[in-house]
Amino acid sequence: MSWRQSLEQVKSRPLPAHVAIIMDGNGRWAKARGLPRAEGHRRGEETAERVVRFVGEEKLAGYLTLFAFSTENWGRPAQEVRFLMGLLEAFLRAKLEELHEAGVRLRALGQLDRLPQGLRQAVERAVRQTRDNTGLNLSVALSYGGRWDLVEGARAVSHAVVHGELSAAALDEEAFRTYLPSGELPDVDLLIRTGGERRLSNYLLWELAYAELLFTDVLWPDLTEEHVLEALIEFQERTRRFGREVG
Ligand code: IPE
Ligand code: IPE
Ligand code: MG
């Protein structure tokens, strides 16, 4: 089957509504080539761009959420943190028009107040400018942690209860999720983690409850459209039971 035929076949079958990706392995990619880690991150950014374009143009998912920087990543050497922040800012500034023209709606998820001012401004501008777009819902998790998200949700819930806007008895799962910073995102159907580690590293804890997990040894800078298509094929071959059906 040709590439186009495989792609059309995948598109004719049920697609994930929400794909989340842990973009891991940039450092190891660089190390294997005797290059500085920064070069791995630079190549990783190109991969992100390619994946966003592919998923968006082929309409392979309504929501795509990329893990760009975790709350724990603040603990990396200052030089690497600074480089990553600069890279993200340059990416947003350089690609905003293209994303906007492609109809992408950008969201940023995480502790934006911890970001350097230039990056925060670039993020806020991109979010504002693309707010009414109806194409791919692209979220960038930035200074994001799943536990941070849950604690923020708990804080918002207690605030609403204290101010009489919500009765604690009325709080159920559906209501709780609306208080989460990530509350506009649907459940994740497919999680892809590159780089060989088999863990969640504090990503989207609420939304991942029933996600299909796909771990690949491919390092993020090496990921191609073919790998994304293979991941979707594997997703479509899995049987999701949600605890309701017997095997
Ligand atoms: C992922 O690549 C990018 C970020 C976490 C920001 P890493 O930098 O974690 O690369 P490895 O895991 O060290 O190879
Ligand atoms: C997860 O990767 C975070 C991002 C990809 C942004 P890490 O490289 O930080 O995760 P660990 O340290 O291997 O768990
Ligand atoms: Mg890593």
Side-chain angles (χ1 to χ4, degrees), residues 206-221:
W206 179 274
E207 291 80 4
L208 287 173
Y210 255 107
E212 291 299 325
L213 309 180
L214 202 151
F215 299 103
T216 169
D217 291 335
V218 175
L219 303 172
W220 178 249

Side-chain angles (χ1 to χ4, degrees), residues 44-64:
E45 186 218 291
E46 289 173 19
T47 304
E49 221 182 300
R50 240 185 8 251
V51 169
V52 168
R53 198 174 299 127
F54 182 50
V55 172
E57 280 177 1
E58 300 296 341
K59 298 186 170 43
L60 300 174
Y63 287 78
L64 177 65

